[in-house]
Amino acid sequence: DEEENDENKNTNTINATNVNKEEEEEDENDKKNIKEIVFNAIRVDQNTIKFLFIILSKAPIVSLKLSNNNLTLKNFNLLIDNLINKPNNIYSFRFEWNDYLINEENNNQKMVFSELNLSQPIQSEINFMKHLKLLFSPEVKENKLESISFRGCFLGNQLINEILPLIKDNQVLLVLNLYKNNLSNDCLQNLANMFLFNRKLKELNLGGNFFDDKTIDFLKGYIGSYELSQEEYEKKVKLIEERNAIIENNKKISKNPKNKEKPKEVPFVDEIKEETISEDKVKYLLIKNDTIQKIDFMNNPNMTQKSFNDLLYLIDHTKNLILYLDLRKYDKDSVLKMINIEGPYCRSEERRVGKECRS
């Protein structure tokens, strides 16, 4: 590209003049099995991006990772434009140790990738939040982000309290990784709201932070399902009826522009489920969030033996929940009790760990 400035030209070239004949006869099946392209500590410029998308249009590459590439904003925008508009099969886009998240001018286009992994301390909080707000803007059509990782970004409570409200309504989000972000109980309410509003979330990594025993006690009120008495069930039914009446009234207000009445805020009410035990007996369940399958609490130094009963409570009120815990935090009897629990959440790998604990 002759218009490209000399200083922007890619100096990472490959000398292909002395190619070994045996290498040319490399097994064709190995070439066909290549699924990922990684640019690690390689400067990416316009020429690199143009050539990359020639390859992506013809090869079955499904994963693209860029890490520490000294991208300019102009070249980042070119990269995102190509991801959105050029033929490719990319569904996993991992972007680490770079500064930009989204093309500001074209945020009304479709997001075609389903994974976003960031792993760097944030240099500019203002730019970071600006790009993140664009990423989750209502104008971004068909947001397909199923997995978001802020692993090792050291965001802190203040930033994460701004970020979680942006993503809590993303109903395709399955995995959220907040490992090593200097988080504590100051962000608990926004974490709890993730469970309230997102009923698709399956994996949450809270490891490497400063959560403690109060964390488990607080979150157990937002996860799992609980049996209700007849009196509690009737109260919940009444709350649901009141909520539905507000929704219907708000619809009438919105249909009549002359109506000066303002729509009321719709209260959140947990789902209720009936389970038939026998012909004459019904069990009423209050559903908090029963889709979560994995929560990682590893490497939280402030967790102690006191959280043990709350952890058992979580397991008893959820289906197939796997907890990642540092068992050194708990006494021998507690560990033995935990690894001997019967149920579908006892997988082979937990049993293997259990035998090691016994020995």
Side-chain angles (χ1 to χ4, degrees), residues 116-166:
L116 178 66
N117 290 1
L118 308 174
S119 62
Q120 66 165 5
I122 302 305
Q123 303 299 321
S124 170
E125 293 183 10
I126 296 174
N127 286 341
F128 176 77
M129 285 308 299
K130 182 174 77 171
H131 290 298
L132 206 63
K133 285 174 182 176
L134 285 170
L135 188 65
F136 293 101
S137 164
E139 285 118 25
V140 176
K141 299 172 185 175
E142 299 184 28
N143 193 327
K144 297 179 181 179
L145 278 174
E146 296 177 359
S147 175
I148 299 174
S149 174
F150 295 124
R151 185 184 179 93
C153 286
F154 296 96
L155 296 173
N157 291 314
Q158 185 174 344
L159 263 182
I160 210 68
N161 279 329
E162 293 182 52
I163 291 167
L164 290 177
L166 295 177

Side-chain angles (χ1 to χ4, degrees), residues 216-217 220 304-317 330 334 337-338:
I216 312 289
D217 183 44
K220 73 180 186 183
T304 69
Q305 174 71 30
K306 293 179 182 178
S307 63
F308 178 73
N309 288 332
D310 289 328
L311 290 167
L312 287 186
Y313 185 89
L314 263 183
I315 293 172
D316 287 339
H317 290 84
Y330 308 99
S334 298
K337 186 176 181 181
M338 187 175 292

Side-chain angles (χ1 to χ4, degrees), residues 201-233:
L201 191 68
K202 291 186 176 180
E203 297 183 25
L204 178 64
N205 191 335
L206 299 176
N209 290 293
F210 297 96
F211 294 111
D212 57 26
D213 302 328
K214 293 179 181 178
T215 309
I216 312 289
D217 183 44
F218 185 85
L219 289 181
K220 73 180 186 183
Y222 294 84
I223 302 171
S225 55
Y226 306 86
E227 187 171 357
L228 297 172
S229 66
Q230 183 67 35
E231 184 180 350
E232 289 171 329
Y233 171 73

Side-chain angles (χ1 to χ4, degrees), residues 6-20:
D6 288 341
E7 61 181 11
N8 288 332
K9 285 187 178 177
N10 195 341
T11 56
N12 297 280
T13 58
I14 298 171
N15 185 352
T17 56
N18 299 316
V19 179
N20 190 308

Side-chain angles (χ1 to χ4, degrees), residues 20-35 58-61:
N20 190 308
K21 202 167 187 180
E22 291 180 4
E23 292 177 353
E24 287 182 332
E25 295 172 1
E26 185 181 0
D27 188 349
E28 287 298 321
N29 289 327
D30 289 342
K31 293 180 182 178
K32 290 179 182 177
N33 289 331
I34 296 173
K35 298 293 183 185
K58 301 180 183 300
I61 306 296

